[in-house]
């Protein structure tokens, strides 16, 4: 470890110019999901390549069937230095409804909120242009002070993250050797709160299934057939209601195979965050945790698997009443997975269970929707331990290692396709309004984000 | 009882002219639900009044806020003769999709189907103009042969049966004294089969409820909240799945209060009809009776109460997948009632049950949709016994006393508002395509229907 003070100081001195550079990038309308902005997406990629080249990266725009990738390498740290792959995305969400924006979404601005707090406004400030530039500007500070970077660095910027990343897997596959590093750094997540940085160590996996139960070959009149004919809504609701036992656990056979208990020290650190059932559920008008009894809401949403019915429909659903016995009833069901739960096994167990609940004269069809395993980094891996310490040096409160209830597919792809774990660090806040009008990013997130990467790169190089 | 042979012979001789009269009525486009046919509805009422007057009825068109009623009285049978109220309806269903009709729906025709079978085609032939005219023509035969009718007869023809009968209850209430008779004759039902006439002795009642369960105050992301936040679809499906026990019985407390077992002789007569689970359910692609174990499909649909979910919806129901935890989930639930089950009590029991299944931080709303008790005539009442014998004399096979799984609200209204039981006899067949294109009525239904009423009126007068 070297003394990072001069690098941090340089980052501070660079702040004004680094904001100018970020704003240049923010003005490019790189909306990936709308074909009208195809040229803008390429322009954003080209802008990044040009900028990375000024920092000594060997950088290029790489074509895909969709929007291009940016790949850049910087190897002057030497073969013995650790090698990291930094991932971010330069594409942004559409801006509709545009009339709800207080400023032009592509004319970024700095607004003084008083009490020393300033925010950057505009589409992409938080998701993800502002975040990815924290890393690039950290590299710049290093380069300017030391003439070199502390690690070997490969950069991968994607232009299709907001439109389902259709080109990503083929690109990773075709360029695996080039992109493989010791581990990945992913900057697309958030802080715990304004003062507490966070490292996401776990991401839940997901299995989606659509279930269609068919009974009679047509809709029936409940006067004529009610009491004799199978009602597919009854069949479906009875089956779905058996997915949980009375303690809130998922009742499928062997469902918890591969689920491990969260270490006591991690649970203790979560306790300290002060999130209660009331505070967590209260923000959406609820108060009673619905899942497994005896576990905190953070544990339930970060570290425990779930079964959720995301949609259900069948029979007459319009105004008034129709005494029909439907021919079909359907549901969309998803499972959030943790630990080593196997998506394929969970899917098969679910299907077997549902099939066991279908009467002899009814039938059931399944349509799969996605399946990905959970991501679990060791809570005490050297990478996390070093990043935690680095972040704790920068922010008012010590960094916390958290879980994430959702999924970030890229992290799974890095794991399965490149055999590489990820470190998930980001500086967004829950009120950044990503994907919504008036997206913002705290100036503190940007400035201290750059300083955080300076510290993390230093810690990783040690 | 007098010798009805000459009356029956006169009915036979009248057949040609009676068909001409029926066709005149069928040509009137009395579609009650479509305001464009308002004048036609009145024309049908006026046509009936004019015709009834020719038979010596004191008849009049009676205005309502909707389409008019026809009320007619014929009292020359004397004060000691039994007094019956005959009910039918002169309005018909719309004819859409009109392009599926083989003939103009309002240009009735007789078609020879071979083997001596002829059918009458056109809107209203079976529902209900053909049926009501069987009774009127029976009166004509009596009048022509004997100069008098065997009973005191009041006739009530409604013009809004196919559009929800909005004027019926107020009209019954306002004219209760005038309309009250010893019992009502309702001709809007069918035969068991071509050779077997049927008397419907029971009609199931109905209670409808819409249930809306609300959890969070907005839709939630299942990654962020799944496992901690209440899912209203889970709450609803768990509650609905508890409506039945594992033997198919409805599991609500005291639900079977007022339900009586069907007499053994009636069950035996139903057995003789030869309807099996396979034949009944096979017609709609099913085979396994879903209701209470150990009961025949006829008993299940005619004489046992049910709970059916007629519709359910909540969450994401479109293409693809959305990992949402819905804010609300809804269902439409109905109960078919038998015996003395009390609709108000059943509704309250259901609501209490559902409320008991709602977590403390969720809420539930109920919207009532209709409630009517079951109709149960004594299977061996004198009226049924006489009508059964009369029908058995007319048709190739003995009449059978059946139940009906659905509801006919007028029968309940007669019972509660006029204190009068109903005899339900009709000559429709299940393939008459009522409410559909190419509605038909068997010529045999019409001809032997007239003869049946001759015999029934004679039997009732005895």
């Amino acid at each position: 470890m070297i003394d990072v003070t001069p690098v941090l100081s340089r980052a501070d001195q660079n702040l004004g110019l680094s904001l100018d550079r970020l704003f240049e990038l923010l003005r490019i309308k790189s909306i990936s999901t709308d074909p009208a902005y195809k040229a803008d997406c390429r322009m954003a990629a080209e802008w990044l390549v040009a900028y990375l080249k000024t920092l000594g990266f060997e950088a290029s725009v790489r074509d895909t069937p969709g929007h291009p990738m940016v790949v850049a390498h910087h190897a002057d740290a030497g073969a013995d230095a650790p090698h990291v792959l930094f991932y971010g995305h330069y594409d942004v969400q559409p801006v509709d409804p545009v009339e709800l924006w207080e400023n032009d979404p592509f004319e970024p601005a700095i607004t003084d909120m008083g009490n020393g707090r300033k925010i950057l406004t505009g589409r992409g400030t938080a998701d993800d242009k502002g975040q990815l530039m924290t890393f690039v500007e950290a590299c710049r500070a290093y380069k300017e002070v030391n003439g070199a970077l502390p690690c070997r660095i490969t950069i991968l910027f994607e232009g299709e993250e907001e439109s389902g990343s259709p080109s990503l897997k083929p690109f990773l596959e075709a360029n695996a050797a080039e992109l493989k590093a010791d581990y990945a750094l992913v900057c697309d997540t958030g802080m715990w709160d304004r003062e507490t940085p966070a490292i996401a160590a776990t991401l839940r996996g997901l299995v989606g299934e659509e279930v269609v139960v068919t009974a009679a070959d047509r809709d029936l009149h409940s006067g004529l057939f009610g009491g004799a004919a199978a009602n597919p809504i009854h069949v479906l609701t009875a089956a779905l209601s058996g997915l949980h036992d009375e303690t809130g656990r998922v009742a499928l056979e062997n469902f918890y195979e591969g689920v491990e208990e969260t270490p006591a020290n991690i649970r203790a650190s979560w306790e300290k965050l002060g999130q209660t059932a009331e505070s967590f559920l209260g923000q959406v008008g609820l108060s009673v945790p619905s899942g497994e009894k005896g576990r905190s809401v953070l544990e339930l949403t970060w570290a425990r698997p779930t079964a959720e019915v995301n949609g259900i429909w069948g029979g007459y659903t319009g105004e008034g009443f129709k005494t029909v016995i439907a021919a079909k009833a359907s549901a969309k069901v998803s499972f959030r997975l943790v630990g080593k739960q196997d998506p394929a096994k969970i899917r098969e167990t679910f299907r077997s269970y549902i099939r066991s609940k279908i009467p002899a004269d009814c039938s059931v069809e399944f349509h799969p929707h996605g399946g990905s395993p959970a991501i679990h980094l060791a809570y005490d891996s050297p990478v996390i331990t070093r990043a935690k310490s680095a972040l704790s040096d920068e922010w008012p409160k010590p960094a916390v290692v958290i879980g994430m209830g959702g999924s970030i597919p890229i992290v799974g792809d890095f794991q399965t396709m490149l055999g590489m774990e990820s470190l998930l660090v980001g500086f967004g806040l829950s009120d950044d309004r990503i994907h919504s009008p008036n997206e913002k990013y705290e100036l503190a997130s940007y400035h201290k984000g750059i300083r955080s990467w300076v510290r993390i790169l230093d810690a990783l190089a040690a």
Side-chain angles (χ1 to χ4, degrees), chain A:
Chain A
M1 224 183 302
I2 56 164
D3 181 5
V4 294
T5 312
V7 185
L8 294 171
S9 298
R10 178 59 67 114
D12 295 344
Q13 292 156 24
N14 283 352
L15 183 62
L17 288 172
S18 78
L19 282 169
D20 292 345
R21 288 185 285 265
L22 170 61
F23 282 20
E24 276 185 33
L25 179 59
L26 289 169
R27 286 190 194 100
I28 303 173
K29 302 173 182 176
S30 48
I31 302 171
S32 60
T33 201
D34 186 340
Y37 297 93
K38 189 169 167 23
D40 302 80
C41 289
R42 175 164 292 270
M43 198 188 307
E46 286 169 351
W47 186 94
L48 284 162
V49 164
Y51 183 44
L52 289 169
K53 281 180 174 169
T54 69
L55 304 181
F57 279 87
E58 186 192 318
S60 56
V61 172
R62 306 281 280 268
D63 286 334
T64 74
H67 301 299
M69 303 279 176
V70 170
V71 178
H73 300 283
H74 200 295
D76 66 3
D80 292 340
H83 181 192
V84 297
L85 171 74
F86 180 85
Y87 166 87
H89 64 91
Y90 66 77
D91 62 321
V92 297
Q93 280 275 319
V95 296
D96 299 321
V98 72
E99 65 275 12
L100 296 185
W101 286 78
E102 287 168 20
N103 298 308
D104 183 332
F106 292 109
E107 197 41 70
I110 302 179
T111 304
D112 193 331
M113 308 299 285
N115 293 321
R117 180 181 162 223
K118 292 182 180 175
I119 61 171
L120 316 180
T121 56
R123 177 56 89 221
T125 47
D127 184 20
D128 182 46
K129 288 171 174 172
Q131 300 241 66
L132 71 84
M133 284 294 280
T134 58
F135 184 82
V136 176
E137 292 295 333
C139 291
R140 181 184 191 97
Y142 263 111
K143 191 81 181 179
E144 289 179 357
V145 172
N146 295 341
L149 300 184
C151 304
R152 282 183 291 152
I153 293 177
T154 297
I155 283 178
L156 173 66
F157 292 144
E158 184 190 1
E160 298 180 322
E161 201 272 349
E162 304 293 4
S163 51
S165 299
S167 309
L168 188 65
K169 279 194 188 191
F171 191 81
L172 292 183
E173 195 159 35
N175 300 280
E178 181 183 354
L179 297 171
K180 169 98 175 76
D182 298 331
Y183 39 84
L185 309 177
V186 175
C187 189
D188 199 13
T189 54
M191 310 262 294
W192 169 253
D193 62 25
R194 276 167 210 288
E195 301 190 313
T196 315
I199 299 168
T202 62
L203 297 165
R204 291 197 290 191
L206 185 70
V207 166
E209 281 278 290
E210 184 168 326
V211 187
V212 185
V213 175
T214 302
D217 57 18
R218 71 202 74 170
D219 285 356
L220 305 176
H221 187 291
S222 79
L224 297 178
F225 285 92
N231 183 328
I233 302 178
H234 297 189
V235 173
L236 183 64
T237 55
L240 295 178
S241 73
L243 284 176
H244 297 86
D245 70 16
E246 66 284 356
T247 71
R249 278 171 71 89
V250 178
L252 294 178
E253 208 178 325
N254 299 324
F255 182 78
Y256 288 89
E257 200 175 282
V259 178
E260 279 173 22
E261 287 297 327
T262 307
N265 64 323
I266 296 294
R267 272 189 288 129
S269 72
W270 293 350
E271 288 293 322
K272 280 196 209 125
L273 293 171
Q275 187 72 282
T276 63
E278 292 68 30
S279 64
F280 181 74
L281 294 173
Q283 59 186 317
V284 295
L286 295 173
S287 59
V288 187
S290 70
E292 297 170 83
K293 302 275 175 279
R295 297 183 184 272
S296 73
V297 287
L298 292 186
E299 199 182 356
L300 287 173
T301 54
W302 290 349
R304 300 300 297 176
T306 67
E308 295 282 352
V309 183
N310 304 110
I312 191 167
W313 67 103
Y316 183 69
T317 61
E319 286 295 307
F321 216 87
K322 201 167 155 185
T323 49
V324 67
I325 297 178
K328 287 178 191 293
S330 305
K332 295 183 199 267
V333 180
S334 66
F335 299 89
R336 296 277 172 185
L337 310 186
V338 304
K340 296 188 172 60
Q341 283 181 298
D342 179 341
K345 270 194 195 171
I346 297 284
R347 191 187 300 284
E348 203 33 65
T349 304
F350 171 68
R351 291 183 176 188
S352 299
Y353 163 75
I354 295 288
R355 281 193 200 103
S356 76
K357 298 292 183 181
I358 304 296
D361 58 350
C362 297
S363 62
V364 62
E365 275 170 57
F366 299 94
H367 303 283
H369 284 281
S372 58
I375 304 294
H376 266 236
L377 296 154
Y379 290 110
D380 55 357
S381 74
V383 171
I384 286 185
T385 305
R386 290 175 185 198
K388 197 174 160 185
S389 166
L391 287 165
S392 300
D393 287 345
E394 175 62 28
W395 294 86
K397 292 193 179 163
V400 60
V401 178
I402 63 172
M404 283 187 61
S407 307
I408 300 185
I410 182 79
V411 178
D413 295 338
F414 286 159
Q415 198 172 51
T416 55
M417 301 178 71
L418 303 185
M420 182 169 65
E421 301 294 344
S422 298
L423 174 70
L424 291 110
V425 171
F427 309 99
L429 291 176
S430 59
D431 65 357
D432 280 348
R433 294 184 291 271
I434 63 168
H435 296 206
S436 298
N438 302 310
E439 179 177 347
K440 62 91 178 161
Y441 197 47
E442 302 285 320
L443 177 59
S445 290
Y446 189 62
H447 182 189
K448 293 174 80 66
I450 296 168
R451 291 173 53 97
S452 295
W453 284 120
V454 168
R455 293 182 190 274
I456 290 171
L457 285 174
D458 179 57
L460 295 179

